[in-house]
Amino acid sequence: MSDAMVKAESVHKRFGRLEVLKGISLEVAPASVMCLLGPSGSGKSTFLRCINHLVKINAGRLWVDGELVGYRQRGNKLYEMRESEIVRSRAKIGMVFQRFNLFPHLTAIQNVRLAQEMVLRRRSQEAEEKAHALLTRVGLADKMDEYPARLSGGQQQRVAIARALAMDPKVMLFDEVTSALDPELVKEVLDVMRDLAREGMTMIVVTHEMGFAADVGDRVIFMDDGAIVEEGPPAQVLDNPREERTKRFLGLVLEH
């Protein structure tokens, strides 16, 4: 095994006849930020869901922090873990979705407490203190007792980030987390993500925010049609892409 925090080796995924991932191999170093770019339908979001076993791969291997995701290996055979084991291992992989997926009947602080108590079996007081600290950290100290319906999209997304961080994850996955937000709310979410990067959180970010990828990304991967077309440092992929497909995509994105 390498010392990568996340390693994918020839990952394939099909939905029926549709091959969505065609042999993805990559490594994400600890405390680094990898940004995944590409058109809709290129497999980026599916790949993120494979990393935490929300989607089961058809072939290949995925490791997080040196452990196989979703499976145990004996000899050359893979055996899927029990659901309870998968839930426990998934706790160290934080994921924030495009839609905030908050529980509408729970306040912000209750949303951040819940999984700590249910999955990590933290005592109520400890979970409460952790939730309080994290909501303060993402700039929501005055919104602890508000229900999601009373929060803006940007505030809801920051609650979702705090909820993921409460599990003390080894890596954070962000799936186009600003694409459902009004433009003026995007910055407040990206600022939280910038802070996480500065603090050394390993992150994989599916995004169309080219400025964020250029400023914060350590590596950029351009995907199309279920395959990696190009990868490298942001300055190379974004400013001086080698592949025609990458050039076309960036030309369209930067026009907007």
Side-chain angles (χ1 to χ4, degrees), residues 84-94 111-124 126-128 130-131 134 162-170:
S84 59
E85 295 175 298
I86 290 168
V87 167
R88 274 200 300 279
S89 67
R90 193 180 281 145
K92 69 178 179 184
I93 307 168
N111 264 284
V112 180
R113 275 179 51 181
L114 183 64
Q116 297 184 64
E117 295 176 19
M118 300 288 286
V119 178
L120 301 183
R121 300 287 183 227
R122 279 190 181 138
R123 296 189 317 278
S124 293
E126 185 185 356
E128 177 95 7
K130 182 100 175 171
L134 285 167
R163 178 177 62 182
L165 291 173
M167 307 299 282
D168 299 323
K170 299 284 182 74

PDB file of all heavy atoms in Angstrom, residues 84-94 111-124 126-128 130-131 134 162-170:
ATOM      1  N   SER A  84     -23.451  -2.891   9.339  1.00  0.00           N
ATOM      2  CA  SER A  84     -23.026  -2.192  10.561  1.00  0.00           C
ATOM      3  C   SER A  84     -21.543  -1.821  10.491  1.00  0.00           C
ATOM      4  O   SER A  84     -21.135  -0.745  10.943  1.00  0.00           O
ATOM      5  CB  SER A  84     -23.278  -3.071  11.792  1.00  0.00           C
ATOM      6  OG  SER A  84     -22.559  -4.296  11.686  1.00  0.00           O
ATOM      7  N   GLU A  85     -20.733  -2.691   9.889  1.00  0.00           N
ATOM      8  CA  GLU A  85     -19.300  -2.391   9.731  1.00  0.00           C
ATOM      9  C   GLU A  85     -19.094  -1.268   8.718  1.00  0.00           C
ATOM     10  O   GLU A  85     -18.242  -0.394   8.909  1.00  0.00           O
ATOM     11  CB  GLU A  85     -18.548  -3.640   9.254  1.00  0.00           C
ATOM     12  CG  GLU A  85     -18.536  -4.802  10.231  1.00  0.00           C
ATOM     13  CD  GLU A  85     -17.887  -6.028   9.618  1.00  0.00           C
ATOM     14  OE1 GLU A  85     -18.396  -6.547   8.611  1.00  0.00           O
ATOM     15  OE2 GLU A  85     -16.854  -6.453  10.158  1.00  0.00           O
ATOM     16  N   ILE A  86     -19.890  -1.294   7.648  1.00  0.00           N
ATOM     17  CA  ILE A  86     -19.781  -0.256   6.620  1.00  0.00           C
ATOM     18  C   ILE A  86     -20.139   1.104   7.209  1.00  0.00           C
ATOM     19  O   ILE A  86     -19.465   2.108   6.957  1.00  0.00           O
ATOM     20  CB  ILE A  86     -20.689  -0.590   5.414  1.00  0.00           C
ATOM     21  CG1 ILE A  86     -20.131  -1.804   4.661  1.00  0.00           C
ATOM     22  CG2 ILE A  86     -20.804   0.603   4.470  1.00  0.00           C
ATOM     23  CD1 ILE A  86     -21.077  -2.395   3.642  1.00  0.00           C
ATOM     24  N   VAL A  87     -21.186   1.155   8.019  1.00  0.00           N
ATOM     25  CA  VAL A  87     -21.595   2.423   8.644  1.00  0.00           C
ATOM     26  C   VAL A  87     -20.475   2.970   9.517  1.00  0.00           C
ATOM     27  O   VAL A  87     -20.172   4.165   9.502  1.00  0.00           O
ATOM     28  CB  VAL A  87     -22.896   2.228   9.470  1.00  0.00           C
ATOM     29  CG1 VAL A  87     -23.164   3.434  10.369  1.00  0.00           C
ATOM     30  CG2 VAL A  87     -24.080   1.993   8.533  1.00  0.00           C
ATOM     31  N   ARG A  88     -19.830   2.081  10.270  1.00  0.00           N
ATOM     32  CA  ARG A  88     -18.735   2.529  11.149  1.00  0.00           C
ATOM     33  C   ARG A  88     -17.552   3.047  10.332  1.00  0.00           C
ATOM     34  O   ARG A  88     -16.966   4.082  10.643  1.00  0.00           O
ATOM     35  CB  ARG A  88     -18.293   1.404  12.082  1.00  0.00           C
ATOM     36  CG  ARG A  88     -19.108   1.321  13.359  1.00  0.00           C
ATOM     37  CD  ARG A  88     -18.372   0.548  14.441  1.00  0.00           C
ATOM     38  NE  ARG A  88     -18.057  -0.818  14.048  1.00  0.00           N
ATOM     39  CZ  ARG A  88     -18.936  -1.824  14.111  1.00  0.00           C
ATOM     40  NH1 ARG A  88     -20.171  -1.605  14.545  1.00  0.00           N
ATOM     41  NH2 ARG A  88     -18.588  -3.051  13.742  1.00  0.00           N
ATOM     42  N   SER A  89     -17.183   2.322   9.284  1.00  0.00           N
ATOM     43  CA  SER A  89     -16.034   2.758   8.483  1.00  0.00           C
ATOM     44  C   SER A  89     -16.374   4.018   7.690  1.00  0.00           C
ATOM     45  O   SER A  89     -15.517   4.868   7.451  1.00  0.00           O
ATOM     46  CB  SER A  89     -15.559   1.654   7.541  1.00  0.00           C
ATOM     47  OG  SER A  89     -16.521   1.384   6.553  1.00  0.00           O
ATOM     48  N   ARG A  90     -17.647   4.165   7.286  1.00  0.00           N
ATOM     49  CA  ARG A  90     -18.077   5.355   6.536  1.00  0.00           C
ATOM     50  C   ARG A  90     -17.984   6.613   7.399  1.00  0.00           C
ATOM     51  O   ARG A  90     -17.859   7.718   6.870  1.00  0.00           O
ATOM     52  CB  ARG A  90     -19.510   5.144   6.053  1.00  0.00           C
ATOM     53  CG  ARG A  90     -19.976   6.146   5.007  1.00  0.00           C
ATOM     54  CD  ARG A  90     -21.405   5.853   4.603  1.00  0.00           C
ATOM     55  NE  ARG A  90     -21.499   4.749   3.671  1.00  0.00           N
ATOM     56  CZ  ARG A  90     -22.501   3.873   3.645  1.00  0.00           C
ATOM     57  NH1 ARG A  90     -23.470   3.952   4.539  1.00  0.00           N
ATOM     58  NH2 ARG A  90     -22.533   2.910   2.750  1.00  0.00           N
ATOM     59  N   ALA A  91     -18.027   6.442   8.718  1.00  0.00           N
ATOM     60  CA  ALA A  91     -17.989   7.600   9.617  1.00  0.00           C
ATOM     61  C   ALA A  91     -16.703   8.398   9.458  1.00  0.00           C
ATOM     62  O   ALA A  91     -16.680   9.599   9.709  1.00  0.00           O
ATOM     63  CB  ALA A  91     -18.145   7.149  11.070  1.00  0.00           C
ATOM     64  N   LYS A  92     -15.629   7.752   9.008  1.00  0.00           N
ATOM     65  CA  LYS A  92     -14.369   8.495   8.876  1.00  0.00           C
ATOM     66  C   LYS A  92     -14.238   9.160   7.504  1.00  0.00           C
ATOM     67  O   LYS A  92     -13.210   9.742   7.185  1.00  0.00           O
ATOM     68  CB  LYS A  92     -13.172   7.579   9.145  1.00  0.00           C
ATOM     69  CG  LYS A  92     -12.903   6.516   8.122  1.00  0.00           C
ATOM     70  CD  LYS A  92     -11.655   5.730   8.509  1.00  0.00           C
ATOM     71  CE  LYS A  92     -11.366   4.628   7.489  1.00  0.00           C
ATOM     72  NZ  LYS A  92     -10.232   3.804   7.899  1.00  0.00           N
ATOM     73  N   ILE A  93     -15.305   9.041   6.695  1.00  0.00           N
ATOM     74  CA  ILE A  93     -15.330   9.673   5.369  1.00  0.00           C
ATOM     75  C   ILE A  93     -16.480  10.675   5.370  1.00  0.00           C
ATOM     76  O   ILE A  93     -17.640  10.294   5.216  1.00  0.00           O
ATOM     77  CB  ILE A  93     -15.517   8.628   4.256  1.00  0.00           C
ATOM     78  CG1 ILE A  93     -14.472   7.511   4.377  1.00  0.00           C
ATOM     79  CG2 ILE A  93     -15.458   9.289   2.891  1.00  0.00           C
ATOM     80  CD1 ILE A  93     -14.754   6.306   3.498  1.00  0.00           C
ATOM     81  N   GLY A  94     -16.171  11.927   5.580  1.00  0.00           N
ATOM     82  CA  GLY A  94     -17.224  12.946   5.614  1.00  0.00           C
ATOM     83  C   GLY A  94     -17.700  13.260   4.207  1.00  0.00           C
ATOM     84  O   GLY A  94     -16.894  13.339   3.274  1.00  0.00           O
ATOM     85  N   ASN A 111     -29.099  18.567  14.332  1.00  0.00           N
ATOM     86  CA  ASN A 111     -28.595  17.907  13.128  1.00  0.00           C
ATOM     87  C   ASN A 111     -27.135  17.508  13.282  1.00  0.00           C
ATOM     88  O   ASN A 111     -26.723  16.439  12.827  1.00  0.00           O
ATOM     89  CB  ASN A 111     -28.757  18.839  11.909  1.00  0.00           C
ATOM     90  CG  ASN A 111     -30.023  18.578  11.113  1.00  0.00           C
ATOM     91  OD1 ASN A 111     -30.116  17.616  10.366  1.00  0.00           O
ATOM     92  ND2 ASN A 111     -31.019  19.445  11.298  1.00  0.00           N
ATOM     93  N   VAL A 112     -26.343  18.354  13.921  1.00  0.00           N
ATOM     94  CA  VAL A 112     -24.907  18.084  14.068  1.00  0.00           C
ATOM     95  C   VAL A 112     -24.657  17.063  15.187  1.00  0.00           C
ATOM     96  O   VAL A 112     -23.672  16.324  15.159  1.00  0.00           O
ATOM     97  CB  VAL A 112     -24.125  19.393  14.306  1.00  0.00           C
ATOM     98  CG1 VAL A 112     -22.633  19.136  14.471  1.00  0.00           C
ATOM     99  CG2 VAL A 112     -24.346  20.366  13.143  1.00  0.00           C
ATOM    100  N   ARG A 113     -25.569  16.991  16.139  1.00  0.00           N
ATOM    101  CA  ARG A 113     -25.417  16.041  17.250  1.00  0.00           C
ATOM    102  C   ARG A 113     -25.780  14.611  16.878  1.00  0.00           C
ATOM    103  O   ARG A 113     -25.184  13.651  17.377  1.00  0.00           O
ATOM    104  CB  ARG A 113     -26.339  16.455  18.419  1.00  0.00           C
ATOM    105  CG  ARG A 113     -25.780  17.475  19.357  1.00  0.00           C
ATOM    106  CD  ARG A 113     -26.785  17.799  20.439  1.00  0.00           C
ATOM    107  NE  ARG A 113     -27.320  16.602  21.103  1.00  0.00           N
ATOM    108  CZ  ARG A 113     -28.228  16.622  22.078  1.00  0.00           C
ATOM    109  NH1 ARG A 113     -28.710  17.774  22.494  1.00  0.00           N
ATOM    110  NH2 ARG A 113     -28.644  15.509  22.633  1.00  0.00           N
ATOM    111  N   LEU A 114     -26.765  14.454  16.019  1.00  0.00           N
ATOM    112  CA  LEU A 114     -27.456  13.171  15.872  1.00  0.00           C
ATOM    113  C   LEU A 114     -26.518  12.006  15.545  1.00  0.00           C
ATOM    114  O   LEU A 114     -26.494  10.997  16.250  1.00  0.00           O
ATOM    115  CB  LEU A 114     -28.552  13.279  14.807  1.00  0.00           C
ATOM    116  CG  LEU A 114     -29.407  12.022  14.618  1.00  0.00           C
ATOM    117  CD1 LEU A 114     -30.204  11.718  15.889  1.00  0.00           C
ATOM    118  CD2 LEU A 114     -30.347  12.183  13.428  1.00  0.00           C
ATOM    119  N   ALA A 115     -25.736  12.130  14.449  1.00  0.00           N
ATOM    120  CA  ALA A 115     -24.890  10.997  14.043  1.00  0.00           C
ATOM    121  C   ALA A 115     -23.798  10.717  15.063  1.00  0.00           C
ATOM    122  O   ALA A 115     -23.392   9.564  15.248  1.00  0.00           O
ATOM    123  CB  ALA A 115     -24.275  11.264  12.668  1.00  0.00           C
ATOM    124  N   GLN A 116     -23.329  11.764  15.750  1.00  0.00           N
ATOM    125  CA  GLN A 116     -22.331  11.549  16.806  1.00  0.00           C
ATOM    126  C   GLN A 116     -22.871  10.576  17.856  1.00  0.00           C
ATOM    127  O   GLN A 116     -22.169   9.679  18.317  1.00  0.00           O
ATOM    128  CB  GLN A 116     -21.992  12.854  17.501  1.00  0.00           C
ATOM    129  CG  GLN A 116     -21.358  13.926  16.640  1.00  0.00           C
ATOM    130  CD  GLN A 116     -20.993  15.119  17.513  1.00  0.00           C
ATOM    131  OE1 GLN A 116     -20.156  15.020  18.391  1.00  0.00           O
ATOM    132  NE2 GLN A 116     -21.654  16.235  17.266  1.00  0.00           N
ATOM    133  N   GLU A 117     -24.135  10.783  18.230  1.00  0.00           N
ATOM    134  CA  GLU A 117     -24.745   9.953  19.280  1.00  0.00           C
ATOM    135  C   GLU A 117     -25.127   8.574  18.737  1.00  0.00           C
ATOM    136  O   GLU A 117     -24.919   7.556  19.410  1.00  0.00           O
ATOM    137  CB  GLU A 117     -25.966  10.665  19.855  1.00  0.00           C
ATOM    138  CG  GLU A 117     -25.597  11.967  20.581  1.00  0.00           C
ATOM    139  CD  GLU A 117     -26.812  12.733  21.082  1.00  0.00           C
ATOM    140  OE1 GLU A 117     -27.900  12.124  21.193  1.00  0.00           O
ATOM    141  OE2 GLU A 117     -26.684  13.935  21.343  1.00  0.00           O
ATOM    142  N   MET A 118     -25.655   8.536  17.514  1.00  0.00           N
ATOM    143  CA  MET A 118     -26.170   7.277  16.961  1.00  0.00           C
ATOM    144  C   MET A 118     -25.034   6.356  16.482  1.00  0.00           C
ATOM    145  O   MET A 118     -25.062   5.152  16.723  1.00  0.00           O
ATOM    146  CB  MET A 118     -27.111   7.556  15.776  1.00  0.00           C
ATOM    147  CG  MET A 118     -28.319   8.397  16.133  1.00  0.00           C
ATOM    148  SD  MET A 118     -29.526   7.499  17.135  1.00  0.00           S
ATOM    149  CE  MET A 118     -30.227   6.422  15.911  1.00  0.00           C
ATOM    150  N   VAL A 119     -24.038   6.926  15.786  1.00  0.00           N
ATOM    151  CA  VAL A 119     -22.990   6.109  15.161  1.00  0.00           C
ATOM    152  C   VAL A 119     -21.762   6.000  16.063  1.00  0.00           C
ATOM    153  O   VAL A 119     -21.232   4.907  16.275  1.00  0.00           O
ATOM    154  CB  VAL A 119     -22.592   6.687  13.779  1.00  0.00           C
ATOM    155  CG1 VAL A 119     -21.479   5.860  13.153  1.00  0.00           C
ATOM    156  CG2 VAL A 119     -23.803   6.732  12.848  1.00  0.00           C
ATOM    157  N   LEU A 120     -21.310   7.133  16.597  1.00  0.00           N
ATOM    158  CA  LEU A 120     -20.104   7.125  17.428  1.00  0.00           C
ATOM    159  C   LEU A 120     -20.403   6.847  18.902  1.00  0.00           C
ATOM    160  O   LEU A 120     -19.493   6.673  19.701  1.00  0.00           O
ATOM    161  CB  LEU A 120     -19.356   8.466  17.303  1.00  0.00           C
ATOM    162  CG  LEU A 120     -18.898   8.857  15.898  1.00  0.00           C
ATOM    163  CD1 LEU A 120     -18.120  10.170  15.951  1.00  0.00           C
ATOM    164  CD2 LEU A 120     -18.053   7.773  15.264  1.00  0.00           C
ATOM    165  N   ARG A 121     -21.702   6.830  19.242  1.00  0.00           N
ATOM    166  CA  ARG A 121     -22.119   6.560  20.630  1.00  0.00           C
ATOM    167  C   ARG A 121     -21.535   7.578  21.621  1.00  0.00           C
ATOM    168  O   ARG A 121     -21.180   7.245  22.747  1.00  0.00           O
ATOM    169  CB  ARG A 121     -21.713   5.140  21.066  1.00  0.00           C
ATOM    170  CG  ARG A 121     -22.321   4.053  20.211  1.00  0.00           C
ATOM    171  CD  ARG A 121     -23.798   3.894  20.503  1.00  0.00           C
ATOM    172  NE  ARG A 121     -24.392   2.807  19.752  1.00  0.00           N
ATOM    173  CZ  ARG A 121     -25.546   2.913  19.090  1.00  0.00           C
ATOM    174  NH1 ARG A 121     -26.197   4.050  19.077  1.00  0.00           N
ATOM    175  NH2 ARG A 121     -26.049   1.888  18.452  1.00  0.00           N
ATOM    176  N   ARG A 122     -21.423   8.816  21.166  1.00  0.00           N
ATOM    177  CA  ARG A 122     -20.952   9.857  22.072  1.00  0.00           C
ATOM    178  C   ARG A 122     -22.045  10.216  23.070  1.00  0.00           C
ATOM    179  O   ARG A 122     -23.236  10.195  22.738  1.00  0.00           O
ATOM    180  CB  ARG A 122     -20.565  11.123  21.285  1.00  0.00           C
ATOM    181  CG  ARG A 122     -19.200  11.031  20.673  1.00  0.00           C
ATOM    182  CD  ARG A 122     -18.720  12.361  20.107  1.00  0.00           C
ATOM    183  NE  ARG A 122     -17.405  12.178  19.507  1.00  0.00           N
ATOM    184  CZ  ARG A 122     -17.011  12.713  18.357  1.00  0.00           C
ATOM    185  NH1 ARG A 122     -17.829  13.488  17.673  1.00  0.00           N
ATOM    186  NH2 ARG A 122     -15.806  12.480  17.889  1.00  0.00           N
ATOM    187  N   ARG A 123     -21.628  10.574  24.262  1.00  0.00           N
ATOM    188  CA  ARG A 123     -22.595  11.039  25.266  1.00  0.00           C
ATOM    189  C   ARG A 123     -23.199  12.367  24.799  1.00  0.00           C
ATOM    190  O   ARG A 123     -22.554  13.146  24.092  1.00  0.00           O
ATOM    191  CB  ARG A 123     -21.928  11.235  26.629  1.00  0.00           C
ATOM    192  CG  ARG A 123     -21.377   9.963  27.238  1.00  0.00           C
ATOM    193  CD  ARG A 123     -20.929  10.172  28.687  1.00  0.00           C
ATOM    194  NE  ARG A 123     -20.186  11.414  28.866  1.00  0.00           N
ATOM    195  CZ  ARG A 123     -18.889  11.557  28.595  1.00  0.00           C
ATOM    196  NH1 ARG A 123     -18.201  10.538  28.091  1.00  0.00           N
ATOM    197  NH2 ARG A 123     -18.285  12.710  28.800  1.00  0.00           N
ATOM    198  N   SER A 124     -24.431  12.631  25.231  1.00  0.00           N
ATOM    199  CA  SER A 124     -25.162  13.812  24.764  1.00  0.00           C
ATOM    200  C   SER A 124     -24.384  15.097  25.001  1.00  0.00           C
ATOM    201  O   SER A 124     -24.308  15.964  24.124  1.00  0.00           O
ATOM    202  CB  SER A 124     -26.521  13.895  25.456  1.00  0.00           C
ATOM    203  OG  SER A 124     -27.333  12.834  25.040  1.00  0.00           O
ATOM    204  N   GLU A 126     -21.142  15.572  25.364  1.00  0.00           N
ATOM    205  CA  GLU A 126     -19.956  15.655  24.506  1.00  0.00           C
ATOM    206  C   GLU A 126     -20.359  16.015  23.073  1.00  0.00           C
ATOM    207  O   GLU A 126     -19.725  16.863  22.424  1.00  0.00           O
ATOM    208  CB  GLU A 126     -19.213  14.317  24.521  1.00  0.00           C
ATOM    209  CG  GLU A 126     -17.894  14.342  23.764  1.00  0.00           C
ATOM    210  CD  GLU A 126     -17.221  12.972  23.688  1.00  0.00           C
ATOM    211  OE1 GLU A 126     -17.751  12.012  24.297  1.00  0.00           O
ATOM    212  OE2 GLU A 126     -16.193  12.868  23.005  1.00  0.00           O
ATOM    213  N   ALA A 127     -21.436  15.371  22.591  1.00  0.00           N
ATOM    214  CA  ALA A 127     -21.926  15.655  21.237  1.00  0.00           C
ATOM    215  C   ALA A 127     -22.404  17.097  21.120  1.00  0.00           C
ATOM    216  O   ALA A 127     -22.164  17.766  20.110  1.00  0.00           O
ATOM    217  CB  ALA A 127     -23.056  14.681  20.877  1.00  0.00           C
ATOM    218  N   GLU A 128     -23.062  17.574  22.166  1.00  0.00           N
ATOM    219  CA  GLU A 128     -23.554  18.959  22.189  1.00  0.00           C
ATOM    220  C   GLU A 128     -22.390  19.948  22.135  1.00  0.00           C
ATOM    221  O   GLU A 128     -22.407  20.919  21.375  1.00  0.00           O
ATOM    222  CB  GLU A 128     -24.369  19.180  23.472  1.00  0.00           C
ATOM    223  CG  GLU A 128     -24.885  20.592  23.657  1.00  0.00           C
ATOM    224  CD  GLU A 128     -26.301  20.787  23.152  1.00  0.00           C
ATOM    225  OE1 GLU A 128     -26.957  19.798  22.771  1.00  0.00           O
ATOM    226  OE2 GLU A 128     -26.745  21.935  23.132  1.00  0.00           O
ATOM    227  N   LYS A 130     -19.337  19.423  21.004  1.00  0.00           N
ATOM    228  CA  LYS A 130     -18.693  19.322  19.695  1.00  0.00           C
ATOM    229  C   LYS A 130     -19.507  20.075  18.642  1.00  0.00           C
ATOM    230  O   LYS A 130     -18.951  20.823  17.822  1.00  0.00           O
ATOM    231  CB  LYS A 130     -18.574  17.850  19.309  1.00  0.00           C
ATOM    232  CG  LYS A 130     -17.876  17.592  17.996  1.00  0.00           C
ATOM    233  CD  LYS A 130     -16.449  17.191  18.237  1.00  0.00           C
ATOM    234  CE  LYS A 130     -15.742  16.818  16.963  1.00  0.00           C
ATOM    235  NZ  LYS A 130     -14.310  16.633  17.158  1.00  0.00           N
ATOM    236  N   ALA A 131     -20.829  19.887  18.659  1.00  0.00           N
ATOM    237  CA  ALA A 131     -21.705  20.555  17.696  1.00  0.00           C
ATOM    238  C   ALA A 131     -21.627  22.071  17.866  1.00  0.00           C
ATOM    239  O   ALA A 131     -21.570  22.824  16.883  1.00  0.00           O
ATOM    240  CB  ALA A 131     -23.142  20.060  17.867  1.00  0.00           C
ATOM    241  N   LEU A 134     -18.323  23.360  16.449  1.00  0.00           N
ATOM    242  CA  LEU A 134     -18.228  23.305  14.989  1.00  0.00           C
ATOM    243  C   LEU A 134     -19.148  24.317  14.318  1.00  0.00           C
ATOM    244  O   LEU A 134     -18.786  24.929  13.309  1.00  0.00           O
ATOM    245  CB  LEU A 134     -18.532  21.892  14.491  1.00  0.00           C
ATOM    246  CG  LEU A 134     -17.397  20.892  14.724  1.00  0.00           C
ATOM    247  CD1 LEU A 134     -17.865  19.474  14.502  1.00  0.00           C
ATOM    248  CD2 LEU A 134     -16.210  21.214  13.808  1.00  0.00           C
ATOM    249  N   ALA A 162     -20.524  21.177   9.050  1.00  0.00           N
ATOM    250  CA  ALA A 162     -20.276  20.963  10.488  1.00  0.00           C
ATOM    251  C   ALA A 162     -20.686  19.555  10.896  1.00  0.00           C
ATOM    252  O   ALA A 162     -19.993  18.888  11.678  1.00  0.00           O
ATOM    253  CB  ALA A 162     -21.038  22.003  11.304  1.00  0.00           C
ATOM    254  N   ARG A 163     -21.805  19.083  10.366  1.00  0.00           N
ATOM    255  CA  ARG A 163     -22.286  17.731  10.694  1.00  0.00           C
ATOM    256  C   ARG A 163     -21.274  16.672  10.250  1.00  0.00           C
ATOM    257  O   ARG A 163     -20.999  15.716  10.978  1.00  0.00           O
ATOM    258  CB  ARG A 163     -23.635  17.485  10.009  1.00  0.00           C
ATOM    259  CG  ARG A 163     -24.209  16.100  10.247  1.00  0.00           C
ATOM    260  CD  ARG A 163     -25.569  15.928   9.601  1.00  0.00           C
ATOM    261  NE  ARG A 163     -25.508  16.081   8.154  1.00  0.00           N
ATOM    262  CZ  ARG A 163     -26.564  16.016   7.355  1.00  0.00           C
ATOM    263  NH1 ARG A 163     -27.765  15.810   7.877  1.00  0.00           N
ATOM    264  NH2 ARG A 163     -26.445  16.169   6.060  1.00  0.00           N
ATOM    265  N   ALA A 164     -20.708  16.839   9.042  1.00  0.00           N
ATOM    266  CA  ALA A 164     -19.709  15.885   8.558  1.00  0.00           C
ATOM    267  C   ALA A 164     -18.437  15.951   9.403  1.00  0.00           C
ATOM    268  O   ALA A 164     -17.849  14.927   9.748  1.00  0.00           O
ATOM    269  CB  ALA A 164     -19.396  16.162   7.088  1.00  0.00           C
ATOM    270  N   LEU A 165     -18.014  17.158   9.763  1.00  0.00           N
ATOM    271  CA  LEU A 165     -16.793  17.326  10.561  1.00  0.00           C
ATOM    272  C   LEU A 165     -16.941  16.747  11.965  1.00  0.00           C
ATOM    273  O   LEU A 165     -15.955  16.337  12.578  1.00  0.00           O
ATOM    274  CB  LEU A 165     -16.423  18.807  10.665  1.00  0.00           C
ATOM    275  CG  LEU A 165     -15.933  19.480   9.383  1.00  0.00           C
ATOM    276  CD1 LEU A 165     -15.783  20.977   9.611  1.00  0.00           C
ATOM    277  CD2 LEU A 165     -14.610  18.872   8.928  1.00  0.00           C
ATOM    278  N   ALA A 166     -18.173  16.715  12.463  1.00  0.00           N
ATOM    279  CA  ALA A 166     -18.406  16.218  13.824  1.00  0.00           C
ATOM    280  C   ALA A 166     -18.013  14.760  13.990  1.00  0.00           C
ATOM    281  O   ALA A 166     -17.786  14.290  15.108  1.00  0.00           O
ATOM    282  CB  ALA A 166     -19.879  16.398  14.198  1.00  0.00           C
ATOM    283  N   MET A 167     -17.904  14.042  12.878  1.00  0.00           N
ATOM    284  CA  MET A 167     -17.547  12.622  12.939  1.00  0.00           C
ATOM    285  C   MET A 167     -16.026  12.416  12.938  1.00  0.00           C
ATOM    286  O   MET A 167     -15.554  11.292  12.862  1.00  0.00           O
ATOM    287  CB  MET A 167     -18.179  11.886  11.751  1.00  0.00           C
ATOM    288  CG  MET A 167     -19.683  12.098  11.623  1.00  0.00           C
ATOM    289  SD  MET A 167     -20.594  11.516  13.059  1.00  0.00           S
ATOM    290  CE  MET A 167     -20.584   9.754  12.742  1.00  0.00           C
ATOM    291  N   ASP A 168     -15.269  13.525  12.988  1.00  0.00           N
ATOM    292  CA  ASP A 168     -13.794  13.454  12.953  1.00  0.00           C
ATOM    293  C   ASP A 168     -13.298  12.657  11.751  1.00  0.00           C
ATOM    294  O   ASP A 168     -12.522  11.696  11.879  1.00  0.00           O
ATOM    295  CB  ASP A 168     -13.236  12.840  14.251  1.00  0.00           C
ATOM    296  CG  ASP A 168     -13.594  13.672  15.471  1.00  0.00           C
ATOM    297  OD1 ASP A 168     -13.607  14.907  15.363  1.00  0.00           O
ATOM    298  OD2 ASP A 168     -13.868  13.077  16.526  1.00  0.00           O
ATOM    299  N   PRO A 169     -13.716  13.042  10.543  1.00  0.00           N
ATOM    300  CA  PRO A 169     -13.355  12.257   9.352  1.00  0.00           C
ATOM    301  C   PRO A 169     -11.880  12.400   9.001  1.00  0.00           C
ATOM    302  O   PRO A 169     -11.229  13.404   9.318  1.00  0.00           O
ATOM    303  CB  PRO A 169     -14.230  12.883   8.258  1.00  0.00           C
ATOM    304  CG  PRO A 169     -14.410  14.302   8.687  1.00  0.00           C
ATOM    305  CD  PRO A 169     -14.508  14.242  10.189  1.00  0.00           C
ATOM    306  N   LYS A 170     -11.364  11.368   8.313  1.00  0.00           N
ATOM    307  CA  LYS A 170     -10.002  11.413   7.792  1.00  0.00           C
ATOM    308  C   LYS A 170      -9.954  12.155   6.461  1.00  0.00           C
ATOM    309  O   LYS A 170      -8.913  12.668   6.052  1.00  0.00           O
ATOM    310  CB  LYS A 170      -9.473   9.987   7.582  1.00  0.00           C
ATOM    311  CG  LYS A 170      -9.404   9.142   8.845  1.00  0.00           C
ATOM    312  CD  LYS A 170      -8.228   9.545   9.701  1.00  0.00           C
ATOM    313  CE  LYS A 170      -8.096   8.688  10.936  1.00  0.00           C
ATOM    314  NZ  LYS A 170      -7.599   7.339  10.663  1.00  0.00           N
TER     315      LYS A 170
END
